[in-house]
PDB file of all heavy atoms in Angstrom:
ATOM      1  N   SER A  28      -6.680  19.650   1.638  1.00 97.00           N
ATOM      2  CA  SER A  28      -6.898  18.878   0.410  1.00 97.00           C
ATOM      3  C   SER A  28      -5.634  18.161  -0.015  1.00 97.00           C
ATOM      4  O   SER A  28      -5.698  16.991  -0.471  1.00 97.00           O
ATOM      5  CB  SER A  28      -7.387  19.807  -0.706  1.00 97.00           C
ATOM      6  OG  SER A  28      -8.600  20.391  -0.368  1.00 97.00           O
ATOM      7  N   LYS A  29      -4.511  18.815   0.072  1.00 97.00           N
ATOM      8  CA  LYS A  29      -3.231  18.207  -0.289  1.00 97.00           C
ATOM      9  C   LYS A  29      -2.939  16.976   0.601  1.00 97.00           C
ATOM     10  O   LYS A  29      -2.572  15.913   0.099  1.00 97.00           O
ATOM     11  CB  LYS A  29      -2.122  19.230  -0.170  1.00 97.00           C
ATOM     12  CG  LYS A  29      -0.745  18.742  -0.500  1.00 97.00           C
ATOM     13  CD  LYS A  29       0.281  19.829  -0.300  1.00 97.00           C
ATOM     14  CE  LYS A  29       1.673  19.298  -0.422  1.00 97.00           C
ATOM     15  NZ  LYS A  29       2.676  20.322  -0.094  1.00 97.00           N
ATOM     16  N   GLN A  30      -3.132  17.137   1.895  1.00 97.00           N
ATOM     17  CA  GLN A  30      -2.921  16.012   2.818  1.00 97.00           C
ATOM     18  C   GLN A  30      -3.916  14.871   2.551  1.00 97.00           C
ATOM     19  O   GLN A  30      -3.535  13.686   2.613  1.00 97.00           O
ATOM     20  CB  GLN A  30      -3.077  16.480   4.269  1.00 97.00           C
ATOM     21  CG  GLN A  30      -1.919  17.278   4.772  1.00 97.00           C
ATOM     22  CD  GLN A  30      -0.639  16.489   4.778  1.00 97.00           C
ATOM     23  OE1 GLN A  30       0.231  16.729   3.943  1.00 97.00           O
ATOM     24  NE2 GLN A  30      -0.535  15.553   5.651  1.00 97.00           N
ATOM     25  N   LEU A  31      -5.141  15.214   2.229  1.00 97.00           N
ATOM     26  CA  LEU A  31      -6.132  14.201   1.937  1.00 97.00           C
ATOM     27  C   LEU A  31      -5.789  13.393   0.693  1.00 97.00           C
ATOM     28  O   LEU A  31      -5.890  12.161   0.675  1.00 97.00           O
ATOM     29  CB  LEU A  31      -7.503  14.862   1.785  1.00 97.00           C
ATOM     30  CG  LEU A  31      -8.703  13.936   1.632  1.00 97.00           C
ATOM     31  CD1 LEU A  31      -8.864  13.105   2.884  1.00 97.00           C
ATOM     32  CD2 LEU A  31      -9.949  14.771   1.370  1.00 97.00           C
ATOM     33  N   VAL A  32      -5.317  14.077  -0.352  1.00 97.00           N
ATOM     34  CA  VAL A  32      -4.910  13.380  -1.569  1.00 97.00           C
ATOM     35  C   VAL A  32      -3.701  12.488  -1.303  1.00 97.00           C
ATOM     36  O   VAL A  32      -3.676  11.336  -1.755  1.00 97.00           O
ATOM     37  CB  VAL A  32      -4.597  14.418  -2.668  1.00 97.00           C
ATOM     38  CG1 VAL A  32      -3.856  13.778  -3.828  1.00 97.00           C
ATOM     39  CG2 VAL A  32      -5.847  15.074  -3.146  1.00 97.00           C
ATOM     40  N   LYS A  33      -2.760  12.972  -0.535  1.00 97.00           N
ATOM     41  CA  LYS A  33      -1.559  12.152  -0.194  1.00 97.00           C
ATOM     42  C   LYS A  33      -1.960  10.924   0.584  1.00 97.00           C
ATOM     43  O   LYS A  33      -1.489   9.807   0.300  1.00 97.00           O
ATOM     44  CB  LYS A  33      -0.584  13.019   0.618  1.00 97.00           C
ATOM     45  CG  LYS A  33       0.679  12.311   0.987  1.00 97.00           C
ATOM     46  CD  LYS A  33       1.595  13.202   1.786  1.00 97.00           C
ATOM     47  CE  LYS A  33       2.822  12.462   2.241  1.00 97.00           C
ATOM     48  NZ  LYS A  33       3.685  13.296   3.114  1.00 97.00           N
ATOM     49  N   THR A  34      -2.823  11.069   1.567  1.00 97.00           N
ATOM     50  CA  THR A  34      -3.263   9.936   2.374  1.00 97.00           C
ATOM     51  C   THR A  34      -4.044   8.918   1.501  1.00 97.00           C
ATOM     52  O   THR A  34      -3.835   7.728   1.629  1.00 97.00           O
ATOM     53  CB  THR A  34      -4.173  10.416   3.520  1.00 97.00           C
ATOM     54  OG1 THR A  34      -3.460  11.363   4.299  1.00 97.00           O
ATOM     55  CG2 THR A  34      -4.614   9.281   4.410  1.00 97.00           C
ATOM     56  N   ASN A  35      -4.869   9.406   0.602  1.00 97.00           N
ATOM     57  CA  ASN A  35      -5.635   8.514  -0.284  1.00 97.00           C
ATOM     58  C   ASN A  35      -4.705   7.765  -1.226  1.00 97.00           C
ATOM     59  O   ASN A  35      -4.962   6.577  -1.493  1.00 97.00           O
ATOM     60  CB  ASN A  35      -6.661   9.277  -1.054  1.00 97.00           C
ATOM     61  CG  ASN A  35      -7.880   9.622  -0.221  1.00 97.00           C
ATOM     62  OD1 ASN A  35      -8.117   9.018   0.807  1.00 97.00           O
ATOM     63  ND2 ASN A  35      -8.651  10.580  -0.667  1.00 97.00           N
ATOM     64  N   LYS A  36      -3.661   8.401  -1.733  1.00 97.00           N
ATOM     65  CA  LYS A  36      -2.723   7.706  -2.624  1.00 97.00           C
ATOM     66  C   LYS A  36      -2.004   6.599  -1.885  1.00 97.00           C
ATOM     67  O   LYS A  36      -1.822   5.490  -2.411  1.00 97.00           O
ATOM     68  CB  LYS A  36      -1.714   8.708  -3.185  1.00 97.00           C
ATOM     69  CG  LYS A  36      -2.237   9.562  -4.305  1.00 97.00           C
ATOM     70  CD  LYS A  36      -1.147  10.480  -4.857  1.00 97.00           C
ATOM     71  CE  LYS A  36      -1.702  11.356  -5.961  1.00 97.00           C
ATOM     72  NZ  LYS A  36      -0.675  12.255  -6.505  1.00 97.00           N
ATOM     73  N   GLU A  37      -1.570   6.882  -0.649  1.00 94.00           N
ATOM     74  CA  GLU A  37      -0.876   5.862   0.154  1.00 94.00           C
ATOM     75  C   GLU A  37      -1.799   4.682   0.466  1.00 94.00           C
ATOM     76  O   GLU A  37      -1.393   3.532   0.390  1.00 94.00           O
ATOM     77  CB  GLU A  37      -0.291   6.471   1.426  1.00 94.00           C
ATOM     78  CG  GLU A  37       0.845   7.428   1.178  1.00 94.00           C
ATOM     79  CD  GLU A  37       1.262   8.185   2.417  1.00 94.00           C
ATOM     80  OE1 GLU A  37       0.686   7.950   3.516  1.00 94.00           O
ATOM     81  OE2 GLU A  37       2.160   9.014   2.297  1.00 94.00           O
ATOM     82  N   ALA A  38      -3.026   4.985   0.827  1.00 95.00           N
ATOM     83  CA  ALA A  38      -4.009   3.924   1.127  1.00 95.00           C
ATOM     84  C   ALA A  38      -4.303   3.103  -0.127  1.00 95.00           C
ATOM     85  O   ALA A  38      -4.428   1.880  -0.041  1.00 95.00           O
ATOM     86  CB  ALA A  38      -5.287   4.526   1.709  1.00 95.00           C
ATOM     87  N   TYR A  39      -4.392   3.770  -1.251  1.00 96.00           N
ATOM     88  CA  TYR A  39      -4.647   3.087  -2.533  1.00 96.00           C
ATOM     89  C   TYR A  39      -3.497   2.103  -2.857  1.00 96.00           C
ATOM     90  O   TYR A  39      -3.736   0.957  -3.226  1.00 96.00           O
ATOM     91  CB  TYR A  39      -4.823   4.120  -3.647  1.00 96.00           C
ATOM     92  CG  TYR A  39      -5.016   3.531  -5.003  1.00 96.00           C
ATOM     93  CD1 TYR A  39      -6.240   2.923  -5.353  1.00 96.00           C
ATOM     94  CD2 TYR A  39      -4.040   3.641  -5.977  1.00 96.00           C
ATOM     95  CE1 TYR A  39      -6.427   2.392  -6.597  1.00 96.00           C
ATOM     96  CE2 TYR A  39      -4.259   3.127  -7.242  1.00 96.00           C
ATOM     97  CZ  TYR A  39      -5.430   2.511  -7.547  1.00 96.00           C
ATOM     98  OH  TYR A  39      -5.631   1.984  -8.790  1.00 96.00           O
ATOM     99  N   LYS A  40      -2.252   2.568  -2.702  1.00 94.00           N
ATOM    100  CA  LYS A  40      -1.103   1.705  -2.953  1.00 94.00           C
ATOM    101  C   LYS A  40      -1.083   0.513  -2.014  1.00 94.00           C
ATOM    102  O   LYS A  40      -0.819  -0.614  -2.455  1.00 94.00           O
ATOM    103  CB  LYS A  40       0.179   2.488  -2.845  1.00 94.00           C
ATOM    104  CG  LYS A  40       0.430   3.456  -3.947  1.00 94.00           C
ATOM    105  CD  LYS A  40       1.728   4.228  -3.749  1.00 94.00           C
ATOM    106  CE  LYS A  40       1.948   5.270  -4.804  1.00 94.00           C
ATOM    107  NZ  LYS A  40       3.168   6.060  -4.619  1.00 94.00           N
ATOM    108  N   LEU A  41      -1.422   0.746  -0.758  1.00 93.00           N
ATOM    109  CA  LEU A  41      -1.441  -0.355   0.218  1.00 93.00           C
ATOM    110  C   LEU A  41      -2.526  -1.358  -0.125  1.00 93.00           C
ATOM    111  O   LEU A  41      -2.288  -2.583  -0.033  1.00 93.00           O
ATOM    112  CB  LEU A  41      -1.652   0.224   1.623  1.00 93.00           C
ATOM    113  CG  LEU A  41      -1.578  -0.792   2.764  1.00 93.00           C
ATOM    114  CD1 LEU A  41      -0.208  -1.418   2.830  1.00 93.00           C
ATOM    115  CD2 LEU A  41      -1.924  -0.096   4.078  1.00 93.00           C
ATOM    116  N   GLU A  42      -3.666  -0.897  -0.550  1.00 95.00           N
ATOM    117  CA  GLU A  42      -4.760  -1.824  -0.924  1.00 95.00           C
ATOM    118  C   GLU A  42      -4.421  -2.627  -2.165  1.00 95.00           C
ATOM    119  O   GLU A  42      -4.759  -3.798  -2.275  1.00 95.00           O
ATOM    120  CB  GLU A  42      -6.069  -1.062  -1.117  1.00 95.00           C
ATOM    121  CG  GLU A  42      -6.654  -0.524   0.170  1.00 95.00           C
ATOM    122  CD  GLU A  42      -6.937  -1.587   1.191  1.00 95.00           C
ATOM    123  OE1 GLU A  42      -7.433  -2.686   0.842  1.00 95.00           O
ATOM    124  OE2 GLU A  42      -6.682  -1.332   2.383  1.00 95.00           O
ATOM    125  N   ILE A  43      -3.703  -2.017  -3.098  1.00 94.00           N
ATOM    126  CA  ILE A  43      -3.258  -2.754  -4.297  1.00 94.00           C
ATOM    127  C   ILE A  43      -2.285  -3.844  -3.880  1.00 94.00           C
ATOM    128  O   ILE A  43      -2.359  -4.988  -4.373  1.00 94.00           O
ATOM    129  CB  ILE A  43      -2.641  -1.807  -5.323  1.00 94.00           C
ATOM    130  CG1 ILE A  43      -3.747  -1.015  -5.995  1.00 94.00           C
ATOM    131  CG2 ILE A  43      -1.859  -2.572  -6.372  1.00 94.00           C
ATOM    132  CD1 ILE A  43      -3.257   0.050  -6.984  1.00 94.00           C
ATOM    133  N   GLN A  44      -1.368  -3.522  -2.972  1.00 93.00           N
ATOM    134  CA  GLN A  44      -0.404  -4.527  -2.498  1.00 93.00           C
ATOM    135  C   GLN A  44      -1.122  -5.681  -1.759  1.00 93.00           C
ATOM    136  O   GLN A  44      -0.786  -6.835  -1.937  1.00 93.00           O
ATOM    137  CB  GLN A  44       0.608  -3.893  -1.565  1.00 93.00           C
ATOM    138  CG  GLN A  44       1.629  -3.050  -2.279  1.00 93.00           C
ATOM    139  CD  GLN A  44       2.598  -2.381  -1.319  1.00 93.00           C
ATOM    140  OE1 GLN A  44       2.296  -2.114  -0.145  1.00 93.00           O
ATOM    141  NE2 GLN A  44       3.797  -2.146  -1.812  1.00 93.00           N
ATOM    142  N   LYS A  45      -2.142  -5.356  -0.975  1.00 93.00           N
ATOM    143  CA  LYS A  45      -2.882  -6.380  -0.277  1.00 93.00           C
ATOM    144  C   LYS A  45      -3.611  -7.276  -1.294  1.00 93.00           C
ATOM    145  O   LYS A  45      -3.670  -8.502  -1.120  1.00 93.00           O
ATOM    146  CB  LYS A  45      -3.919  -5.762   0.665  1.00 93.00           C
ATOM    147  CG  LYS A  45      -3.306  -5.178   1.927  1.00 93.00           C
ATOM    148  CD  LYS A  45      -4.411  -4.582   2.804  1.00 93.00           C
ATOM    149  CE  LYS A  45      -3.854  -3.963   4.038  1.00 93.00           C
ATOM    150  NZ  LYS A  45      -4.929  -3.351   4.862  1.00 93.00           N
ATOM    151  N   THR A  46      -4.159  -6.662  -2.321  1.00 94.00           N
ATOM    152  CA  THR A  46      -4.857  -7.449  -3.375  1.00 94.00           C
ATOM    153  C   THR A  46      -3.866  -8.352  -4.106  1.00 94.00           C
ATOM    154  O   THR A  46      -4.174  -9.535  -4.371  1.00 94.00           O
ATOM    155  CB  THR A  46      -5.544  -6.506  -4.367  1.00 94.00           C
ATOM    156  OG1 THR A  46      -6.425  -5.649  -3.634  1.00 94.00           O
ATOM    157  CG2 THR A  46      -6.339  -7.282  -5.407  1.00 94.00           C
TER     158      THR A  46
END
Side-chain angles (χ1 to χ4, degrees):
S28 298
K29 180 182 170 186
Q30 286 298 108
L31 187 62
V32 167
K33 181 180 176 185
T34 303
N35 282 343
K36 282 182 181 179
E37 290 171 3
Y39 178 71
K40 288 179 184 178
L41 185 62
E42 290 302 319
I43 287 177
Q44 287 178 332
K45 286 180 182 178
T46 304

